[in-house]
Amino acid sequence: MRRFFLTIAVMMVLLSSARATTKGLSQIVTPELQAAGDLSLSFQAQSERIANPYELQAEMGLTNWAEFAVFRGFKPDDWIFSTEFGLLTKEPYLLSVGFLNWSPHLDVDPQPYIEAGYYTEHQKFIVGAIHAGYKNEAILGYAYDFNKTWRVQIDWLSGAENSSTIGFTCNISRDFQMNPALYINNGPGHDLFGYVVFSYTFHLWGKTGGKELEKSEK
């Protein structure tokens, strides 16, 4: 474990920084893809009522239409795999498919999903569906980007065991991002749970900055 964090620290010192965009919401997957050649490493802490309380994540953009992600959970010990494939990738209209939460270690089947998005410079709208276990669940999300640093966001996943969330994303630097959020359970009582994730993005190949950097500097 110490070796893993030491490796991340060394990479942060050695690799140069380029613009990282705000991405993702708190609970739901989003239809835009990780840029090709970008590797995001994240640490996620959350209530045990949400999921594994401590997780590491690696998210890698392979091409402009495909990415994959690996989660490493510690309580319980687990490896979780996800993918996303872009069918429409040119904003403002987005359409993606893939699967989430596949855990061969705990014998959990992958959960296929489809999502559509309408993305403008400031407002992002998301709608979709996911098949989890024995049922289909609806996905809704909205985000507002004030500028290249701040975003507020809400999302909802249907089902009594799932939640609505409200949170924000802050790009602390061009590549270092923080996203705290409050989960509100859909079930009786509407219990509240905390969540936070920290991410750092490395640009291993491809364009470093791209369209979002051009926008931010106008």
Side-chain angles (χ1 to χ4, degrees):
M1 187 68 179
R2 291 179 180 175
R3 187 175 300 172
F4 179 88
F5 285 110
L6 179 60
T7 300
I8 293 178
V10 171
M11 291 176 71
M12 286 182 177
V13 172
L14 294 179
L15 293 178
S16 62
S17 177
R19 172 81 172 112
T21 62
T22 53
K23 60 177 184 176
L25 301 186
S26 302
Q27 177 181 209
I28 66 172
V29 65
T30 52
E32 79 274 25
L33 273 70
Q34 182 95 323
D38 281 7
L39 170 65
S40 293
L41 300 179
S42 305
F43 170 74
Q44 184 170 309
Q46 57 204 351
S47 167
E48 291 185 1
R49 294 279 300 276
I50 300 174
N52 201 307
Y54 301 104
E55 291 181 334
L56 299 176
Q57 179 190 10
E59 181 182 2
M60 184 74 215
L62 299 176
T63 71
N64 62 356
W65 55 269
E67 71 167 60
F68 77 97
V70 180
F71 291 83
R72 175 74 170 96
F74 298 99
K75 186 182 178 182
D77 182 30
D78 197 11
W79 291 90
I80 303 166
F81 303 93
S82 300
T83 62
E84 185 166 10
F85 303 96
L87 304 180
L88 292 176
T89 59
K90 187 175 181 180
E91 296 179 4
Y93 302 106
L94 301 172
L95 180 64
S96 296
V97 297
F99 68 78
L100 303 174
N101 301 325
W102 179 36
S103 173
H105 184 69
L106 297 181
D107 197 28
V108 176
D109 292 333
Q111 300 172 354
Y113 68 89
I114 182 169
E115 270 198 336
Y118 181 74
Y119 278 37
T120 66
E121 181 179 357
H122 293 290
Q123 300 189 78
K124 278 72 177 167
F125 301 89
I126 299 162
V127 62
I130 184 169
H131 182 77
Y134 60 92
K135 62 180 180 177
N136 298 317
E137 297 172 343
I139 295 169
L140 293 174
Y142 173 79
Y144 188 89
D145 291 338
F146 292 96
N147 49 46
K148 64 182 180 179
T149 302
W150 293 101
R151 161 185 285 186
V152 294
Q153 55 207 37
I154 57 176
D155 60 45
W156 172 77
L157 186 61
S158 67
E161 72 280 12
N162 295 315
S163 301
S164 304
T165 78
I166 182 169
F168 68 88
T169 295
C170 175
N171 282 327
I172 298 171
S173 72
R174 291 187 171 216
D175 292 296
F176 184 44
Q177 183 181 96
M178 174 184 66
N179 168 212
L182 182 66
Y183 277 60
I184 307 165
N185 182 256
N186 294 338
H190 300 293
D191 298 325
L192 305 180
F193 312 114
Y195 161 98
V196 66
V197 59
F198 299 92
S199 300
Y200 195 93
T201 300
F202 303 100
H203 308 281
L204 304 184
W205 73 81
K207 296 180 181 179
T208 57
K211 181 172 64 175
E212 293 298 330
L213 178 58
E214 293 173 7
K215 283 184 184 178
S216 68
E217 292 181 343
K218 285 182 180 179

